[in-house]
Amino acid sequence: MTTKRPTIRDVAALAGVSVATVSRVLSGDYPVAGATRTRVQRAVRDLDYVVNAHARALSGATSKVVAIVMFNVTTPFYAHIAAGVEAQAAEADRLCLVCTTGGDPDRELEIVKLMREQHADAVILVGGVTMTDDYRERMHRYAKALEDANSRLVLCGRPAPSPDFPAVTVEYDNVGGAYAATSHLLSVGHRRIAFLGGAVGNTTFDGRDTGYRRAMAAFGATVDPALVSHHGSLGPEYGFARVGELLAAGTDFTAIFAVNDHVAAGAIRALRAAGKRVPDDVSIIGYDDTPFAPDLSTPLTSVHLPHDELGRTAVRLALQRTGPARQHVMLGTHITMRDSVRPLV
Amino acid sequence: MTTKRPTIRDVAALAGVSVATVSRVLSGDYPVAGATRTRVQRAVRDLDYVVNAHARALSGATSKVVAIVMFNVTTPFYAHIAAGVEAQAAEADRLCLVCTTGGDPDRELEIVKLMREQHADAVILVGGVTMTDDYRERMHRYAKALEDANSRLVLCGRPAPSPDFPAVTVEYDNVGGAYAATSHLLSVGHRRIAFLGGAVGNTTFDGRDTGYRRAMAAFGATVDPALVSHHGSLGPEYGFARVGELLAAGTDFTAIFAVNDHVAAGAIRALRAAGKRVPDDVSIIGYDDTPFAPDLSTPLTSVHLPHDELGRTAVRLALQRTGPARQHVMLGTHITMRDSVRPLV
DNA sequence: ACGAGTAGTGTAAACGCTTTCTCGAGGCGT
DNA sequence: ACGCCTCGAGAAAGCGTTTACACTACTCGT
């Protein structure tokens, strides 16, 4: 088995031309006489020849691979960004290498090293991150190394650690989204709005916190610390437990702004378990506009993120080798209205 | 910028050894004197040297890449399989190339060709497919080509087109799962069970159809054609529309078996819209056990698939180069019970 | 003390492609 | 007619590794 694969040399021999000519026919843009071109193409077909990507990449051409590095692949948030990346990569005739970190910074380090080995022509780091000094320093090294390896680094959904950072960034507007969500609640009369926040220090969740507070301030509502919580886990358990606490403590609130839809789902569960109706008794608004949002027990109003566009823009930025080497794009968000918010009469 | 990257030659020079020695230190299992090894490792660190994966792959070593080809990356079904593949690949020190077809067979063809270029050491084709003669013939060619390119092909969630097909397959038991689901409904007294089926001719959905019919027969229930439908779209709209029809036609039924959870979600929507209660008036059972199943308006009972194990097994089979070149693994399913099924009194 | 291993290292030939030179053959302006 | 261009095609030099082969210097068994 495993018959030897034909090489460019075999094609050249069969077509009666030199390997250079075959290469030129295959790569396109170089003047080759029509007759020669046809002969080569015939030989390629007859031999069922395919180029060896490694040989091609080795001899100077680009690798045609974009890598996406993210937390996991199953969370809708990441999955949709990945979809955008994959789609745009495919359009640009690129393959897509997917790596997951599970949130482990050391794994991220390791993956970046692997990407250097692979000479990926773009590396896209997705998702918010908790910015420690160590992280900053380390990321700077990564980015430098990648730049030297002639790959473009793109930070997707997280800001650059410093202005001179050798990477392009594309983010969605966390502050704006949270501001809009909270304002929406406020504008229909809610004042006692609980905030179910994410991890403190994380660029993404800090932004949402800020948006919440700004909106409250803008409407002259005071932020009751008893109504604000932060937690690293972004699962339904958090929402469920936290709302249970609030209810048990008898803290008064008429609305909830949850840091994502999963947390919101847990919150709704807790509310129902306690005999509260949504949205009649408590209004709620989520974040991410996950696909299942419309099918929750109460169709959930949620902040919609430009997932797909985020992924696509990241790839576009990475591949466009002309123009400024560092740039920053901020994508907007909007609220998808469903039935989980009711005006306070 | 873009300073030249150090090569193995630079390392050799700095360490005062030959490139062969450096290579041997890097590749591990080969006798190298302790002192020399240390010196080389120091040079590697000082130069911040990383190997060039393309050069390595070109010169005979394996490519360390496994490719997964699937419909899309956002549907939980595929996402979870991909997660399994990625995890297992990472454990085997492999990178994971993800390609989506959007269901286009021509795109699948194109991708397989790309994988030949890449010399991926495993190519995993995920998901059911409609088996036309053309498909059979074409797939056979793909598989042969891949085998020649020294890659392993694995069919994941779809049977091999023929017994001599040069690929390994790993499937989950569609017939068994559907049989179990339908039996569950039957065993609590339901007889008028609507089946919301998938595309006819597709290996996956045909299996579920068979399971449904066998269970019905086993319990001596007759299959009313008016209660059975098939549709290629697997979205909520299908479930919503179909249940709407059933209701409008006044067809009598007490339970629904939906081909997946999305369709089930749509069905529930339609039921509620018509003032029916779930499960009090109509019981329903889904397929896939999607993560959002517990958070639907009625927590959905669903057939659980071994997504993760499916992906992992696929990779394991592909990478284990010893043992039979063609083999077949069938993974079992089970029902995750929630609140969407009520006994008929 | 001598030939046979063997551990440790070096040399150089692939691996399959791209790309820079080179060069020949026509076409054309004067 | 003659030099000059342009177009098409070939030769060959890499690209950065791995690895087969060769060689040296020991260590042993006899």
Side-chain angles (χ1 to χ4, degrees):
Chain A
M1 54 163 278
T2 306
T3 41
K4 197 88 179 47
R5 297 181 59 188
T7 75
I8 197 173
R9 233 169 286 277
D10 301 320
V11 176
L14 181 58
V17 298
S18 72
V19 295
T21 302
V22 177
S23 174
R24 294 198 261 254
V25 169
L26 262 32
S27 310
D29 46 79
Y30 192 93
V32 174
T36 319
R37 159 164 276 124
T38 319
R39 237 171 339 126
V40 169
Q41 283 162 343
R42 236 192 86 81
V44 165
R45 234 193 341 277
D46 290 353
L47 256 33
D48 190 25
Y49 167 83
V50 293
V51 304
N52 180 325
H54 298 301
R56 173 172 281 177
L58 181 57
S59 82
T62 139
S63 75
K64 298 267 187 218
V65 166
V66 347
I68 170 171
V69 184
M70 54 194 194
F71 189 87
N72 69 22
V73 91
T74 48
T75 304
F77 172 80
Y78 292 108
H80 281 87
I81 292 181
V85 167
E86 208 273 340
Q88 186 72 37
E91 277 177 31
D93 194 27
R94 252 51 170 207
L95 257 24
C96 191
L97 219 34
V98 174
C99 308
T100 64
T101 63
D104 178 3
D106 291 334
R107 175 68 183 149
E108 194 168 274
L109 170 67
E110 197 184 335
I111 290 177
V112 173
K113 184 186 166 199
L114 287 174
M115 291 310 109
R116 285 216 280 154
E117 292 186 2
Q118 297 289 327
H119 289 240
D121 42 33
V123 176
I124 300 173
L125 256 35
V126 181
V129 73
T130 303
M131 286 253 209
T132 61
D133 280 351
D134 177 61
Y135 161 85
R136 253 179 260 271
E137 188 272 326
R138 173 141 51 179
M139 271 308 294
H140 220 288
R141 284 217 321 276
Y142 294 6
K144 277 281 199 22
L146 244 11
E147 192 175 46
D148 283 356
N150 213 359
S151 312
R152 275 275 167 287
L153 178 63
V154 178
L155 269 22
C156 185
R158 83 170 77 160
S162 72
D164 72 319
F165 193 79
V168 139
T169 71
V170 34
E171 285 182 84
Y172 45 86
D173 186 6
N174 281 304
V175 177
Y179 186 94
T182 313
S183 297
H184 177 51
L185 255 15
L186 287 159
S187 70
V188 297
H190 296 279
R191 286 300 175 271
R192 302 281 304 164
I193 303 173
F195 176 55
L196 270 44
V200 176
N202 182 296
T203 51
T204 298
F205 303 123
D206 282 355
R208 295 188 191 169
D209 190 277
T210 304
Y212 164 75
R213 288 172 195 279
R214 284 211 192 135
M216 291 295 272
F219 278 76
T222 45
V223 173
D224 181 351
L227 287 179
V228 174
S229 64
H230 294 279
H231 200 281
S233 138
L234 298 172
E237 331 75 54
Y238 163 42
F240 186 83
R242 175 61 186 159
V243 168
E245 280 173 31
L246 251 23
L247 257 19
T251 322
D252 174 47
F253 63 94
T254 64
I256 299 175
F257 171 37
V259 75
N260 76 15
D261 287 359
H262 281 95
V263 173
I268 294 178
R269 211 138 83 193
L271 254 9
R272 299 201 162 237
K276 303 280 186 186
R277 290 162 308 157
V278 179
D280 309 78
D281 297 326
V282 177
S283 287
I284 182 162
I285 185 164
Y287 217 108
D288 282 359
D289 196 12
T290 338
F292 62 75
D295 287 306
L296 292 181
S297 44
T298 306
L300 184 67
T301 292
S302 187
V303 178
H304 184 89
L305 263 35
H307 301 284
D308 192 75
E309 202 44 35
L310 200 55
R312 299 189 95 100
T313 307
V315 174
R316 225 176 289 131
L317 253 30
L319 260 30
Q320 134 215 325
R321 282 336 193 52
T322 71
R326 327 212 180 307
Q327 54 182 297
H328 179 75
V329 174
M330 175 74 88
L331 265 24
T333 60
H334 69 262
I335 299 182
T336 302
M337 304 285 187
R338 296 203 182 84
D339 308 333
S340 64
V341 176
R342 202 78 105 205
L344 210 59
V345 275
Chain B
M1 55 163 275
T2 306
T3 42
K4 196 87 181 47
R5 296 183 58 187
T7 76
I8 197 173
R9 234 168 285 277
D10 300 320
V11 176
L14 182 57
V17 299
S18 74
V19 295
T21 302
V22 176
S23 176
R24 292 197 262 254
V25 169
L26 262 34
S27 308
D29 44 79
Y30 195 92
V32 173
T36 318
R37 160 164 277 124
T38 320
R39 237 172 339 127
V40 170
Q41 284 164 341
R42 236 191 85 80
V44 166
R45 232 191 344 276
D46 289 354
L47 255 33
D48 190 23
Y49 165 83
V50 293
V51 305
N52 180 326
H54 298 300
R56 172 173 282 178
L58 180 58
S59 84
T62 140
S63 74
K64 297 266 187 218
V65 167
V66 348
I68 169 169
V69 185
M70 54 195 194
F71 189 87
N72 70 22
V73 90
T74 49
T75 304
F77 172 78
Y78 292 108
H80 281 87
I81 293 181
V85 167
E86 208 273 342
Q88 186 72 36
E91 277 176 31
D93 194 26
R94 253 49 171 209
L95 289 168
C96 190
L97 220 33
V98 174
C99 308
T100 65
T101 62
D104 178 4
D106 291 334
R107 175 69 184 149
E108 195 168 274
L109 170 67
E110 196 184 336
I111 289 176
V112 173
K113 184 184 165 200
L114 287 173
M115 291 311 107
R116 285 216 280 154
E117 293 186 2
Q118 296 290 328
H119 289 240
D121 42 34
V123 176
I124 300 173
L125 258 33
V126 181
V129 73
T130 302
M131 287 253 208
T132 61
D133 281 350
D134 176 61
Y135 161 85
R136 256 178 258 273
E137 187 272 326
R138 173 142 51 180
M139 271 308 294
H140 220 289
R141 284 214 323 276
Y142 293 7
K144 276 281 199 20
L146 244 13
E147 192 174 44
D148 282 356
N150 213 0
S151 311
R152 276 275 170 285
L153 179 63
V154 178
L155 270 22
C156 184
R158 85 170 74 160
S162 73
D164 72 318
F165 193 78
V168 138
T169 70
V170 34
E171 285 182 84
Y172 45 85
D173 185 7
N174 281 305
V175 177
Y179 187 93
T182 313
S183 297
H184 178 51
L185 256 11
L186 287 159
S187 69
V188 296
H190 295 280
R191 285 299 174 276
R192 302 281 302 164
I193 304 173
F195 177 54
L196 271 42
V200 176
N202 180 298
T203 52
T204 297
F205 303 123
D206 282 355
R208 295 186 191 170
D209 190 276
T210 304
Y212 164 76
R213 288 172 196 279
R214 286 214 190 131
M216 291 294 272
F219 277 74
T222 44
V223 173
D224 180 351
L227 252 25
V228 175
S229 63
H230 293 279
H231 200 281
S233 137
L234 298 172
E237 331 75 52
Y238 163 41
F240 186 83
R242 175 59 186 161
V243 169
E245 280 173 31
L246 251 23
L247 257 18
T251 321
D252 174 45
F253 62 96
T254 64
I256 299 175
F257 171 36
V259 76
N260 76 15
D261 288 358
H262 281 95
V263 173
I268 294 177
R269 210 139 84 194
L271 253 12
R272 297 199 164 238
K276 303 279 187 186
R277 289 161 309 156
V278 181
D280 309 78
D281 297 326
V282 177
S283 287
I284 182 162
I285 184 163
Y287 216 110
D288 282 359
D289 196 11
T290 339
F292 61 77
D295 287 305
L296 292 181
S297 46
T298 306
L300 184 67
T301 293
S302 185
V303 178
H304 185 89
L305 263 34
H307 301 283
D308 191 76
E309 202 44 36
L310 200 56
R312 301 189 93 101
T313 307
V315 175
R316 226 176 287 131
L317 252 30
L319 260 29
Q320 136 214 323
R321 280 337 192 53
T322 73
R326 329 213 179 307
Q327 53 181 297
H328 180 76
V329 175
M330 175 74 87
L331 265 24
T333 60
H334 69 262
I335 299 181
T336 301
M337 304 285 186
R338 297 205 182 82
D339 308 332
S340 64
V341 176
R342 201 78 106 206
L344 210 60
V345 276

